[in-house]
Amino acid sequence: MLLKDRVAIITGGAGINGLGFATARQMAAQGARVAILDLERADPAGAAARLGDGHLGLVADVTDKPSCEAAAAAVLRAFGRIDALVNNAGITQAVGTLEIGGADYDRVLDVSLRGTLYMSQAVLPSMRRQQAGAIVCISSVSAQRGGGIFGGPHYSAAKAGVLGLARAMAREFGGDGIRINCVTPGLIETDITQGKLGPERKREISATIPLARLGRADDVAGACVFLASDLAGYCTGITLDVNGGMLIH
Ligand code: NAD
C-alpha cells in the first residue's frame, strides 16, 4: 500500500462524483486515514462515512483562515499528524472577460487561490515539525491553454495563480522535506460538467483528445496518490498533466 498509515486531508472532497472524493477513496484504499473537508451543505461527514471506519469529515470553508486552522487542528487531534494535503476545492463560472464582476472575481479566486494558500498555511507548520509532507494542488488545463471548456478568464487566472503559488512554496519548503506539486486536469466528467455537455458535444471534444475520451475522476485521483506517495519522492514544483494528451505541443 502506497499510503499505509499516512494522514491525508482533501479539501472540497465531499461531492461523491468529484475529483476530491475519488482521491479520498483511492487514498483510503492505499491505507491512508483521510479527512474530507468541505462546506456544510456538501456533508463532509457523510462522505467520510462512505469511506468506511477511521476517516474524518469536517466542515471547513477554505476561504476562511480560522476555519482552515480549526480543521487542521482537528485532524491533528484525531490522527496526530498530517502527511498529505490535496488542495482540491474550486468553483468555476462560465462568463467572458467583459462580464466578470468584482464579486465574481473574488468568489472564483478566493476558493481556488486563497483557499490553497490558507490550507497550505494551516498544515505547513506540522509538516515542518515532521520534516516531511506532500501537498498536491489541483490547478487546471484552463491555466495552461487560456480557458478550458467551462471556466471564465478569472478561473484560468485563479488556476494559473495556483501553479505559481505551488512552485514558490515548493522552493521555500523543499529543505524541510515537504514536496509541493500540481495536477492540471483536462476535461473530467464530474458534477461541474454534468448536464452541460450533450452526447454530440462530448464526441466532438473527445475527437480533439489523443486518448479519445473525456477524463474520469479516478484518472486525477491516481495522479494525486502518486504525488502524495514516496514514489514521487524526488518530485517537487512539478505540474502533472492529466488531460488525455489534450495539450501536447
Ligand atoms: P466539484 O464541484 O465536484 O468539487 C468542488 C468541491 O469544492 C465541492 O465539493 C464544493 O462543495 C467544494 N467547495 C466549494 N467551495 C468551497 C469552499 N469555500 N471551501 C471548501 N470547499 C468548497 O468539482 P470537481 O470537478 O470535482 O472539481 C474539483 C477541482 O478540480 C476544482 O478545483 C476544479 O476547479 C478542478 N478541476 C476540475 C476539472 C473538471 O473538468 N471537472 C478540470 C480541471 C480542474
Side-chain angles (χ1 to χ4, degrees), residues 28-241:
Q30 292 294 336
R33 283 169 292 171
V34 175
I36 290 180
L37 274 48
D38 211 314
L39 300 175
E40 188 165 13
R41 63 170 182 260
D43 187 20
R50 282 172 169 248
L51 297 176
D53 290 338
H55 305 285
L56 196 61
L58 295 170
V59 172
D61 179 344
V62 296
T63 68
D64 180 67
K65 194 165 183 181
S67 176
C68 293
E69 288 169 349
V75 175
L76 284 172
R77 269 196 310 279
F79 297 141
R81 53 186 294 120
I82 298 168
D83 298 293
L85 163 68
V86 182
N87 282 310
N88 168 74
I91 57 171
T92 188
Q93 185 190 26
V95 295
T97 304
L98 299 180
E99 284 83 52
I100 301 169
D104 300 327
Y105 178 91
D106 286 346
R107 260 181 340 105
V108 170
L109 268 88
D110 274 0
V111 180
S112 279
L113 188 50
R114 188 188 295 271
T116 294
L117 175 66
Y118 283 170
M119 261 324 293
S120 300
Q121 287 177 323
V123 305
L124 279 164
S126 61
M127 288 183 173
R128 187 177 245 169
R129 277 193 300 279
Q130 293 164 193
Q131 289 287 292
I135 299 179
V136 181
C137 303
I138 305 298
S139 174
S140 170
V141 72
S142 172
Q144 300 161 307
R145 64 190 289 275
I149 310 283
F150 297 115
H154 50 343
Y155 177 76
S156 299
K159 293 302 192 182
V162 168
L163 295 178
L165 175 62
R167 288 179 192 144
M169 293 194 297
R171 202 175 276 286
E172 187 176 343
F173 291 96
D176 293 303
I178 303 168
R179 299 180 297 99
I180 303 169
N181 294 293
C182 284
V183 175
T184 39
L187 186 56
I188 316 292
E189 293 197 87
T190 66
D191 287 343
I192 280 188
T193 52
Q194 279 316 319
K196 294 180 191 146
L197 287 180
E200 186 51 35
R201 183 78 182 109
K202 277 189 197 175
R203 266 195 300 278
E204 278 168 25
I205 295 170
S206 299
T208 68
I209 298 174
L211 289 181
R213 64 169 175 87
L214 304 192
R216 303 180 189 114
D218 274 329
D219 295 324
V220 177
C224 293
V225 168
F226 164 69
L227 288 172
S229 80
D230 294 343
L231 290 180
Y234 201 48
C235 296
T236 200
I238 72 161
T239 300
L240 183 50
D241 292 352

